[in-house]
Amino acid sequence: GESVGLHLPTLSVQEGDNSIINCAYSNSASDYFIWYKQESGKGPQFIIDIRSNMDKRQGQRVTVLLNKTVKHLSLQIAATQPGDSAVYFCAERSGGTSYGKLTFGQGTILTVHP
Amino acid sequence: GAGVSQSPSNKVTEKGKDVELRCDPISGHTALYWYRQSLGQGLEFLIYFQGNSAPDKSGLPSDRFSAERTGGSVSTLTIQRTQQEDSAVYLCASSSGVRGYFGAGTRLSVL
């Protein structure tokens, strides 16, 4: 079914701390997952992605972990900065084709205090 | 331009009027998505176009909503007889594979 965010959860951290944002996805057949960052007044921006045949992928200051057993995805941000303050969404691709529909999970509001 | 372009950026309309929202995807992207985002909430899927395939319209909330994509490029989302609950930001994304690239959205306010 669709994952539509309501009453977004929040996470507040101090600058320099590590942040972990969690997402539960809905479709066990999804084969691709993406994390997006959305700043106020802007559209979502790509952060990092992971395929379902992987359980971890690292980028610059970010790491995505995938646990298919419990259908859970997490985004870890190292040394969080005030510029990281935004709403973070996970998205899953399903459909079994090269494209497929992107369905978004519930977002999380991250606030980084200086 | 290099990114997804949406117009207008803001639209204020009166209840009962029809509105058209436009999306110019990234050149060459065959997939195009429309989402709706209400204030402080997540992204609600509306419709998805992929190449010449029939669009996935499963997310359209009522028959007042429709969308088309001409020539596999520009897309228009039309809302007929707008209602106050239609007020939201309407986001468009395009993709050449899996990753979707989003526009800045159109903020629709229905008075």
Side-chain angles (χ1 to χ4, degrees), chain A residues 4-105:
Chain A
V4 178
L6 294 172
H7 310 294
L8 302 183
T10 60
L11 174 65
S12 291
V13 300
Q14 291 297 127
E15 181 177 3
D17 287 351
N18 296 331
S19 302
I20 300 177
I21 300 170
N22 297 302
C23 176
Y25 63 92
S26 58
N27 189 342
S28 58
S30 293
D31 62 350
Y32 189 79
F33 304 87
I34 308 174
W35 278 100
Y36 283 91
K37 173 186 180 183
Q38 187 177 27
E39 296 175 290
S40 181
K42 298 182 179 179
Q45 292 179 289
F46 171 87
I47 302 173
I48 191 168
D49 55 9
I50 188 169
R51 296 192 180 279
S52 61
N53 61 355
M54 303 171 66
D55 54 20
K56 181 179 180 179
R57 190 170 186 209
Q58 289 184 298
Q60 186 176 15
R61 282 202 307 119
V62 294
T63 300
V64 55
L65 299 178
L66 175 63
N67 185 331
K68 294 183 290 294
T69 302
V70 295
K71 292 191 285 186
H72 183 268
L73 197 65
S74 68
L75 176 70
Q76 300 178 356
I77 305 174
T80 316
Q81 303 167 0
D84 295 327
S85 294
V87 181
Y88 290 80
F89 294 97
C90 65
E92 59 184 299
R93 182 187 75 174
S94 57
T97 68
S98 298
Y99 295 87
K101 184 175 73 178
L102 279 178
T103 302
F104 281 74

Side-chain angles (χ1 to χ4, degrees), chain A residues 2-8 32 34 36 38 41-44 46 49 51 89 93 97-104, chain B residues 30-31 33 35 37 40-45 48 50 56 58 91 95-105 107:
Chain A
E2 299 295 334
S3 299
V4 178
L6 294 172
H7 310 294
L8 302 183
Y32 189 79
I34 308 174
Y36 283 91
Q38 187 177 27
K42 298 182 179 179
F46 171 87
D49 55 9
R51 296 192 180 279
F89 294 97
R93 182 187 75 174
T97 68
S98 298
Y99 295 87
K101 184 175 73 178
L102 279 178
T103 302
F104 281 74
Chain B
T30 58
Y33 308 79
Y35 292 87
Q37 186 173 34
Q41 297 192 5
L43 279 73
E44 177 187 3
F45 168 77
Y48 163 55
Q50 175 50 56
D56 178 351
S58 60
L91 291 160
S95 174
S96 63
V98 183
R99 184 187 308 180
Y101 295 84
F102 281 84
R107 181 174 298 278

